[in-house]
Amino acid sequence: MAASKIIVVGSMNMDLVTSTNRIPAVGETVIGDAFHTTPGGKGANQAMAAARLGAEVTMVGAVGDDAFGEAAMNNLKQQGIGTDAIRIVEGCSTGIAAITVSDGDNSIIVVPGANHSITPAVIEAQEEVLKNSDMLLVQLEIPLDSVIRAVQLAKKHNIRTILNPAPIQPLPMELLEMVDYLTPNEHEQTLLFASTDGSVKQLERLKEKCIVTKGSKGVMLYQNGEEILIPGVEVEAVDTTGAGDSFNGALAFALCQGKSVEEACRFANVVGAISVTKFGAQAGMPTMEEVEGFLR
Ligand code: ADP
């Protein structure tokens, strides 16, 4: 298997998950049922998904100088992900998501913390690593300027780029024109096109770059004006958190392996499906062996 060198520029968080039978009202205290911490952040999740499959992954990101940062970093290290380009920011908190889960409902507060310290200059300092990669994978949980800088540098060195436009926000046409693949889910695709101004030609080009994930319905891609629907793989879904992240990591890996876009989407569609059969965003991400076992 050829090495797939993937550089992920993105967020690292610690998810703090509380389960309770009722989400408290303002001013109220309730006793919860359970609490656990689990590493997350779209950047770290996607890095993990690609590494599990066998990709050589370098993470460019930032954590605070606290226990969550150390745990988030160690989690990536244990999977063999390169962590030299992760900054530890003094006096800053690691990004967290405080998640309250109650009977299928949830409420979430995200504090970006150190993720917001990833400036364009931080990205520029990693140009050598980027230059030696086969693929850049980015999302939108770090400052947009830095996402743009990473994509500009990738373009300069002819490195292919996947932009997972999540969480969705208005994006400049300059960025959208530079990336090779866009991976919105259905909701993000609608908002992406609603918030983007461009000529008919530009929007048509944009559509051709889109690989739209549709949950249990699978994946839609566009080639020469034709829609290609890859149907979802039937599985028993227990937790869909991080399905999109599994999909993106797998897509990057498969493209680096030389698969065509359609083949890579078929592969990532299987990986995304396997990931929802287990609890936890990262815990459900399969190894290559598991994928092969599933397909047998
Ligand atoms: P996101 O998590 O970003 O909202 P999706 O829900 O579209 O992304 O899921 C990403 C991909 O994961 C889907 O395109 C599909 O391949 C797979 N997937 C997600 N949910 C399911 C499911 N219930 N059954 C089978 N595959 C799924």
Side-chain angles (χ1 to χ4, degrees), residues 2-6 55 134-135 160 251-259:
S4 301
K5 288 193 194 166
I6 299 171
D134 302 317
M135 181 73 75
R160 283 190 292 175
L251 179 73
F253 170 76
L255 287 170
C256 287
Q257 291 285 299
K259 287 198 191 323

Side-chain angles (χ1 to χ4, degrees), residues 185 188 213-216 218-219 232-233 235 237 240 242-244 247 268-269 272-273 276:
N185 63 20
E188 290 154 358
T213 64
K214 297 164 85 74
S216 60
V219 192
V233 179
V235 289
T240 58
F247 182 91
N269 189 41
V276 305

Side-chain angles (χ1 to χ4, degrees), residues 16-20 32-36 99-102:
L16 316 176
V17 188
T18 306
S19 312
T20 168
D33 299 326
F35 174 73
H36 70 273
I99 305 171
T100 307
V101 185
S102 178

Side-chain angles (χ1 to χ4, degrees), residues 155-261:
K155 192 93 190 150
K156 174 176 158 194
H157 296 293
N158 278 322
I159 312 296
R160 283 190 292 175
T161 306
I162 299 174
L163 169 61
N164 174 222
I168 190 69
Q169 52 187 276
L171 296 171
M173 186 53 89
E174 180 212 353
L175 172 65
L176 296 168
E177 294 249 275
M178 277 189 299
V179 300
D180 295 287
Y181 309 101
L182 276 160
T183 53
N185 63 20
E186 281 180 304
H187 158 78
E188 290 154 358
Q189 184 201 27
T190 306
L191 293 180
L192 178 71
F193 279 87
S195 64
T196 305
D197 284 329
S199 65
V200 172
K201 266 210 163 128
Q202 278 175 320
L203 294 176
E204 201 46 51
R205 268 205 301 273
L206 209 60
K207 199 167 165 194
E208 291 271 320
K209 290 180 185 188
C210 281
I211 293 169
V212 184
T213 64
K214 297 164 85 74
S216 60
K217 289 177 287 172
V219 192
M220 176 82 88
L221 63 152
Y222 304 88
Q223 275 176 1
N224 307 317
E226 300 273 323
E227 289 182 353
I228 302 174
L229 176 69
I230 300 170
V233 179
E234 258 183 62
V235 289
E236 196 152 323
V238 300
D239 182 6
T240 58
T241 319
D245 293 335
S246 301
F247 182 91
N248 276 280
L251 179 73
F253 170 76
L255 287 170
C256 287
Q257 291 285 299
K259 287 198 191 323
S260 70
V261 180

